[in-house]
């Protein structure tokens, strides 16, 4: 028994004693004190009751902590951005790190790892290999070596290796001046990629991303922005398209498809697909700094054209129509008033002779601009005729000036104001499944949504422009506008004013990706420097002029359809004249028989 005790004592003296344990706990407490955020809780994990340095750490670190013995997931937990792990062996600590990542704890958090044992020296190389495989980049490992406490950290990307697990020593002394050696121990690790690859998933999506079939660097608002980000991070930008479906992607069969599926399954570092942000994406992915916004809208074919005869009234607004109507009613009333006793008294008072001509007929002649042979002799009545001629000239000239343009252009019924109107008409609807997530609480829309990928979206958009389908399509407003630009204003559609959502534009990462912070910093700098706005002006705002008709386009000739309303009025006039002639003829014959 004495021999065994002596062996244990010798081992203790060889690897660690109480003073060493105190030093490790004190170093860990100071690292946490100067580098952790006090407003958040710190999770302390250990697997043995007698964890070396734990008691010292708790005595010297007075901020909020949660002490956790063993591996179990609590029923209610909060986000934890800082961890302290106590272990005796490298393998034991590696298992704890893998369990934390598998249990969906924040792998991008700050880790302080104390590896100490009474029987053997800790192999820090194994721990850093585990940190590399789980992409935990912010970690400091404390151990004892040659009776002294040692601290190690590592850079996941180094000039010599794009995936580096070789640790370097951190100079820490418990009594350094003002504890300056403990400040800033967790710098941003991925500010320099040393020309290593930054792999992003994307899709061809003008005006946001032009891939040019890989023949030249990408362009577009997102393409230029990602090139800038890669240059600022000293990375080699690699863009890949999804291997399954050529679209943003959606959740299906317990997995994600498309560009988002590439991140979810660990094949790329980030996704630049300009997909609208939803609660489902926010819960499954990490997002970058919001550097832009986009409108999701409904697009439908133009409403039916108005009847051709309405084009004759199109130059006149409703108020003008009412004024002209009452004007001619007043002329008819005066023409009828001539045959009354009241008018005879007026004629005697003004010493006027009986009128031999139809007032209504001559008023209509003057309105049409035709000459009359006689005018009243009295100056007052002559002035009234002149005023009527002047007013008729103004109205007729203005009407004729706008009539030709009205006949040549199509005039449509009222556009759809809300998507509810499209539902009431029974129109089919759908779009990319990412937009469908916004209607998960509306089963009438969610359950009847017709899914399509980007290629189907463009084909459907062409059918809407041709007016061959009643389909109402949900899409990004800028994508619709740029597709319309191909036709240079010759084809049109209607965009329902009621937006689906105004979504922030972000880059998507895998949950707790270490790339989120450096790329968000670059996007924030680009936004504050005006680079994002410059890209918008270059690719988005310049498209407004392309919606106008091409001025060098040949004038459109007038056809019979344009004059359908005119011929309709002419035929109606002939019919009324024929009816009036027939009535007059029949009534005349009846008088002769009497």
């Amino acid at each position: 028994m004495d021999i065994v005790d002596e062996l244990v004592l010798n081992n203790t003296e060889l690897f660690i004693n109480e003073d060493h344990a105190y030093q490790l706990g004190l170093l860990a407490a100071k690292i946490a004190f100067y580098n952790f955020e006090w407003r958040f809780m710190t999770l302390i994990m250990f697997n043995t009751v007698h964890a070396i340095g734990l008691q010292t750490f708790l005595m010297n670190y007075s901020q909020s902590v949660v002490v956790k013995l063993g591996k179990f997931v609590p029923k209610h937990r909060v986000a934890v951005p800082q961890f302290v792990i106590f272990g005796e062996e490298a393998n034991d600590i590696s298992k704890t790190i893998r369990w934390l990542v598998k249990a969906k704890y924040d792998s991008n958090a700050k880790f302080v790892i104390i590896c100490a044992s009474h029987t053997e020296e800790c192999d820090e190389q194994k721990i850093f290999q585990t940190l590399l495989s789980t992409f935990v980049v912010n970690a400091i490992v404390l151990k004892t070596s040659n009776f002294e406490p040692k601290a190690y950290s590592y850079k996941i990307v180094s000039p010599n290796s794009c995936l580096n697990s070789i640790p370097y020593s951190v100079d820490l002394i418990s009594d350094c001046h003002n504890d300056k050696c403990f400040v800033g121990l967790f710098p941003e690790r991925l500010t320099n990629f040393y020309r290593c690859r930054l792999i992003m998933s994307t899709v061809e999506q003008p005006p946001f991303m032009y891939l040019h079939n890989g023949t030249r660097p990408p362009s577009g608002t997102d393409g230029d922005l990602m090139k800038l980000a890669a240059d600022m991070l000293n990375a080699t930008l690699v863009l890949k398209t999804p291997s399954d479906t050529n679209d943003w992607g959606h959740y299906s069969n317990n997995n994600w498809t498309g560009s988002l599926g590439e991140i979810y399954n660990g094949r790329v570092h980030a996704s630049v697909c300009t997909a609208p942000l939803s609660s489902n994406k926010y819960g499954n992915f990490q997002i970058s700094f919001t550097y832009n916004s986009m409108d999701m809208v409904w697009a439908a074919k133009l409403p039916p054209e108005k009847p051709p005869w309405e084009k004759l009234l199109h130059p006149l607004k409703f108020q003008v129509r009412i004024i002209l109507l009452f004007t001619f009613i007043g002329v008819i009333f005066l023409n009828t008033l001539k045959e009354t006793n009241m008018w005879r008294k007026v004629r005697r008072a003004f010493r006027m002779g009986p009128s031999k001509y139809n007032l209504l007929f001559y008023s209509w002649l003057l309105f049409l601009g035709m000459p009359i042979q006689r005018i009243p002799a009295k100056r007052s009545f002559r002035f009234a005729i002149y005023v009527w001629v002047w007013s008729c000239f103004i109205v007729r000239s203005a009407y004729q000036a706008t009539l030709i343009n009205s006949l040549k252009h199509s005039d449509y019924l009222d556009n759809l104001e809300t998507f509810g109107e499209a539902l009431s008409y029974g129109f089919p609807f759908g779009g990319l499944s990412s937009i469908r997530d916004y209607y998960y609480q509306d089963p009438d829309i969610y359950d009847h949504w017709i899914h399509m990928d980007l290629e189907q979206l463009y084909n459907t958009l062409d059918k809407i422009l041709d007016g061959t389908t009643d389909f109402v399509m949900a899409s990004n407003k800028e994508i619709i506008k740029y597709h319309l630009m191909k036709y240079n204003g010759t084809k049109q559609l209607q965009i329902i004013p009621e937006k689906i959502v105004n979504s922030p534009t972000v880059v998507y990462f895998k949950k707790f990706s270490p790339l989120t912070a450096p790329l968000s910093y670059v996007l924030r700098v680009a936004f504050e420097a005006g680079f994002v706005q410059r890209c918008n002006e270059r690719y988005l705002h310049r498209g407004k002029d392309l919606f106008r008709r091409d001025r060098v386009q040949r004038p459109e000739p007038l056809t019979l359809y344009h004059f359908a309303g005119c011929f309709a009025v002419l035929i109606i006039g002939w019919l009324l004249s024929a009816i009036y002639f027939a009535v007059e003829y029949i009534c005349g014959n009846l008088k002769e028989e009497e």
Side-chain angles (χ1 to χ4, degrees):
M1 188 69 180
D2 295 337
I3 297 176
V4 174
D5 292 339
E6 185 179 356
L7 290 175
V8 173
L9 180 62
N10 290 336
N11 286 333
T12 303
E13 292 178 352
L14 180 61
F15 295 105
I16 193 169
N17 54 36
E18 292 183 2
D19 183 61
H20 296 155
Y22 175 81
Q23 290 295 327
L24 288 177
L26 181 61
L27 289 177
K30 288 192 173 185
I31 293 173
F33 182 82
Y34 287 105
N35 294 275
F36 286 1
E37 295 189 55
W38 298 352
R39 59 196 175 107
F40 295 121
M41 285 193 306
T42 300
L43 180 60
I44 301 175
M45 288 197 63
F46 57 97
N47 295 323
T48 60
V49 176
H50 301 288
I52 297 176
L54 176 59
Q55 183 178 0
T56 305
F57 178 87
L58 294 176
M59 291 174 60
N60 289 274
Y61 185 72
S62 58
Q63 309 305 320
S64 301
V65 296
V66 175
V67 180
K68 187 183 182 69
L69 175 61
K71 302 180 181 70
F72 65 92
V73 179
K75 184 176 182 181
H76 302 287
R77 68 178 185 180
V78 296
V80 181
Q82 45 215 20
F83 297 84
V84 179
I85 302 175
F86 291 86
E88 294 185 350
E89 298 178 353
N91 291 334
D92 182 42
I93 293 175
S94 296
K95 291 178 182 178
T96 301
I97 295 172
R98 291 193 181 94
W99 179 86
L100 285 172
V101 174
K102 186 177 180 180
K104 299 189 183 303
Y105 282 93
D106 188 356
S107 59
N108 200 30
K110 298 175 182 178
F111 286 78
V112 176
I113 301 171
I114 298 90
C115 181
S117 172
H118 290 293
T119 59
E120 62 179 341
E121 184 176 348
C122 179
D123 185 1
E124 72 278 3
Q125 184 63 50
K126 291 183 180 179
I127 298 176
F128 283 104
Q129 289 175 354
T130 302
L131 293 173
L132 174 64
S133 64
T134 54
F135 293 100
V136 176
V137 298
N138 299 308
I140 291 182
V141 176
L142 300 176
K143 57 168 285 187
T144 56
S145 178
N146 297 326
F147 304 102
E148 292 183 2
K150 298 289 185 179
Y152 300 90
S153 186
Y154 84 119
K155 295 181 179 180
I156 191 171
V157 178
S158 68
N160 300 321
S161 176
C162 293
L163 289 176
N164 173 58
S165 64
I166 300 175
Y168 64 88
S169 178
V170 180
D171 293 330
L172 294 180
I173 304 174
S174 59
D175 56 350
C176 64
H177 181 65
N178 291 331
D179 290 339
K180 289 184 178 180
C181 60
F182 293 95
V183 178
L185 296 181
F186 294 94
E188 179 56 55
R189 298 294 186 183
L190 293 173
T191 55
N192 191 340
F193 274 64
Y194 300 101
R195 305 311 301 170
C196 292
R197 296 194 304 169
L198 176 60
I199 307 174
M200 294 187 173
S201 174
T202 188
V203 292
E204 182 89 24
Q205 193 175 203
F208 304 107
M209 183 66 72
Y210 298 89
L211 296 179
H212 308 294
N213 294 322
T215 57
R216 54 193 178 99
S219 59
T221 57
D222 289 342
D224 288 353
L225 194 57
M226 292 307 109
K227 286 191 296 184
L228 174 67
D231 289 341
M232 293 181 66
L233 295 175
N234 193 26
T236 302
L237 181 63
V238 177
L239 295 179
K240 290 185 176 182
T241 55
S243 57
D244 48 4
T245 59
N246 189 30
D247 62 6
W248 303 333
H250 62 279
Y251 189 74
S252 177
N253 298 325
N254 297 322
N255 199 356
W256 284 82
T257 64
S259 182
L260 296 175
E262 298 292 296
I263 321 171
Y264 192 78
N265 294 288
R267 291 190 283 266
V268 297
H269 297 140
S271 172
V272 190
C273 58
T274 322
L277 182 63
S278 62
S279 59
N280 197 14
K281 296 189 188 71
Y282 186 80
N284 287 275
F285 300 97
Q286 202 84 6
I287 62 172
S288 70
F289 170 78
T290 300
Y291 61 91
N292 210 337
S293 65
M294 51 187 167
D295 290 335
M296 297 293 131
V297 297
W298 292 103
K301 72 175 184 179
L302 291 175
E305 290 191 41
K306 292 182 178 179
W309 62 267
E310 288 194 24
K311 293 184 178 182
L312 298 177
L313 300 177
H314 182 72
L316 305 174
K317 296 298 182 181
F318 180 75
Q319 296 86 346
V320 179
R321 298 178 192 178
I322 296 298
I323 293 172
L324 291 178
L325 177 62
F326 279 100
T327 300
F328 282 103
I329 290 177
V331 173
I332 295 173
F333 176 75
L334 291 176
N335 187 68
T336 306
L337 191 65
K338 289 194 315 176
E339 307 300 329
T340 62
N341 293 328
M342 184 183 297
W343 182 255
R344 294 189 185 96
K345 294 178 182 180
V346 173
R347 281 196 293 109
R348 293 192 194 101
F350 288 95
R351 298 177 181 180
M352 297 169 50
S355 178
K356 299 179 181 180
Y357 303 98
N358 189 304
L359 178 62
L360 178 62
F361 180 73
Y362 276 97
S363 298
W364 182 248
L365 287 180
L366 290 174
F367 185 78
L368 295 179
M370 299 179 67
I372 57 175
Q373 296 178 352
R374 299 180 61 183
I375 59 175
K378 289 186 175 293
R379 181 177 297 177
S380 58
F381 289 100
R382 192 187 310 158
F383 179 75
I385 293 297
Y386 289 157
V387 171
W388 176 254
V389 171
W390 176 78
S391 61
C392 291
F393 173 77
I394 296 297
V395 173
R396 186 180 65 254
S397 299
Y399 178 76
Q400 289 176 344
T402 57
L403 180 60
I404 296 298
N405 188 56
S406 175
L407 294 175
K408 291 179 62 176
H409 290 82
S410 300
D411 194 16
Y412 298 92
L413 298 175
D414 294 336
N415 289 335
L416 299 172
E417 294 296 329
T418 64
F419 180 63
E421 295 180 21
L423 289 178
S424 63
Y425 293 136
F427 293 157
F429 58 88
L432 297 174
S433 293
S434 293
I435 307 177
R436 179 193 181 197
D437 294 339
Y438 292 106
Y439 294 98
Y440 74 95
Q441 292 183 336
D442 192 339
D444 291 337
I445 300 177
Y446 191 85
D447 295 339
H448 297 89
W449 188 279
I450 299 176
H451 168 72
M452 57 181 61
D453 57 23
L454 278 177
E455 184 176 351
Q456 292 173 320
L457 184 141
Y458 291 123
N459 293 335
T460 304
L461 197 54
D462 286 329
K463 293 180 181 179
I464 293 175
L465 291 171
D466 295 334
T468 58
T469 179
D470 292 330
F471 194 83
V472 182
M473 187 183 67
S475 181
N476 188 308
K477 186 177 181 180
E478 297 299 334
I479 293 178
I480 297 174
K481 286 169 56 178
Y482 257 69
H483 191 75
L484 285 172
M485 286 167 52
K486 295 194 308 183
Y487 302 102
N488 206 19
T490 58
K491 293 184 179 182
Q492 298 175 346
L493 50 70
Q494 62 170 317
I495 293 178
I496 298 178
E498 183 186 49
K499 297 179 184 178
I500 300 174
V501 70
N502 179 266
S503 171
T505 305
V506 296
V507 178
Y508 293 92
F509 304 90
K510 196 170 184 178
K511 205 66 174 176
F512 309 125
S513 171
L515 288 172
T516 305
L519 196 57
S520 292
Y521 172 77
V522 170
L523 293 176
R524 184 181 292 106
V525 171
F527 179 81
E528 294 174 352
F531 186 82
V532 175
Q533 288 77 2
R534 179 62 178 169
C535 289
N536 289 342
E537 291 177 0
R538 180 180 181 185
Y539 292 101
L540 301 182
H541 295 168
R542 70 175 184 178
K544 294 180 179 178
D545 295 336
L546 298 179
F547 284 103
R548 303 172 184 172
R549 290 262 184 175
D550 192 355
R551 295 183 179 180
V552 301
Q553 190 176 354
R554 292 184 179 180
E556 183 181 358
L558 293 174
T559 63
L560 181 62
Y561 177 78
H562 295 113
F563 291 99
C566 301
F567 283 109
V569 173
L570 181 62
I571 293 173
I572 292 173
W574 286 346
L575 292 176
L576 292 177
S577 300
I579 294 172
Y580 186 80
F581 176 78
V583 171
E584 188 179 49
Y585 178 78
I586 295 173
C587 293
N589 290 338
L590 292 176
K591 289 182 179 180
E592 290 179 0
E593 292 178 0
E594 293 178 355

